[in-house]
Structure formats: C-alpha cells, structure tokens
Amino acid sequence: MRGQDLTTALAAEHAAVYAYGVIGARTTGSLRVTATAAFNAHRARRDQLRALITAGGGVPVEPDAAYRLPVTPSTPAQAVELATLVERGVTAAYLELTASSDATVRRMAALAMQECVTRSYGLRPEIETFPGMPAPAPAPSGSGSPAPPS
C-alpha cells in the first residue's frame, strides 16, 4: 500500500465533502436529497481512508478550511455540473490505488470508483471512455498523418 496514493484519495474525499456541503446548501428537493446521500458516501470513504492511513502508521492529511470550486452553484444545472466534476475528480484520485499490492485497498478503490461513476451518471447520464483516466492529448494541429518513409 502506497501512503501517497491513499493521501491523494483522502484529499479528494475532503474536497468532495466540502463541495457537496455547498451543493446541499444551495439546492432543494430531489437534488438536495441526492447531494446529501453523496455527502454521506464521501464522508464514509474519507473516514475509511483516514483509518487505513492511521493503521499503516501514517498521519492522515487534514482538510483545507475552504476549497476553490470550479463552479459556484446558483442554479440546479450548475449544482449538477459541480457534482459531476467532483465525482470525476474523485474517480481519478482512486485510479492508482486500483494497482495496489494490497487486495483490500484495490477492492476499496475499485468500489469507490464504481460508486463515483454511478453517482455521476445518475446526475448526468454520460460516460467517459475510461472513467478516471486523463484525456488523451490532442494531436498537434496541421500534423495530419505521418509521411511514409522514403
């Protein structure tokens, strides 16, 4: 188990808890119910990661006092956009943990990623090609196909 990977996932969970707190405070109805469920799920994963880090002799990273949000939700559409971005970010944070030599950590990371993708899809029914993976770099403009060897 690599402590830095656990710390990366923990930091992402701290940010998710913060973001869903903001989303919950700025929404109503079914969207607030969804945000509250996500808030609780991320809080549970956060606590699980803290326990894993502590059990391994590490010191869990503490949350920041506040986080810069990519979207400050003032409409339901903006709340959904922020939630979707949060879920994608947390999915990416767990990616390296799926390669852990510790089967318990691998399973936890895979389940966490699955839950994030499911929540994201429930908010906005679209699926990334490889959830959690960075997008491929765009091809340089004007490069076209490589010239055949002469």
Side-chain angles (χ1 to χ4, degrees):
M1 171 170 26
R2 297 190 312 226
Q4 183 57 42
D5 294 339
L6 288 172
T7 298
T8 299
L10 177 58
E13 291 292 8
H14 283 315
V17 168
Y18 177 87
Y20 273 111
V22 171
I23 293 167
R26 293 172 176 244
T27 58
T28 60
S30 64
L31 190 50
R32 178 177 274 172
V33 170
T34 299
T36 300
F39 174 88
N40 290 331
H42 284 291
R43 197 169 60 180
R45 285 284 179 205
R46 176 203 65 193
D47 294 346
Q48 184 180 23
L49 286 165
R50 287 179 61 83
L52 278 171
I53 292 168
T54 302
V59 177
V61 63
E62 294 299 324
D64 292 344
Y67 292 83
R68 173 178 245 141
L69 300 175
V71 176
T72 302
S74 58
T75 66
Q78 290 171 333
V80 168
E81 181 180 356
L82 177 57
T84 302
L85 290 170
V86 166
E87 296 301 343
R88 287 179 179 170
V90 175
T91 300
Y94 276 101
L95 186 60
E96 289 200 27
L97 287 175
T98 62
S100 173
S101 60
D102 184 324
T104 301
V105 171
R106 275 196 318 271
R107 179 170 164 53
M108 185 257 324
L111 288 172
M113 291 176 71
Q114 180 182 22
E115 290 166 4
C116 289
V117 171
T118 300
R119 272 191 296 274
S120 179
Y121 187 83
L123 291 161
R124 183 177 288 156
E126 60 188 35
I127 298 177
E128 295 176 278
T129 305
F130 294 105
M133 296 292 289
S141 62
S143 64
S145 299
S150 6

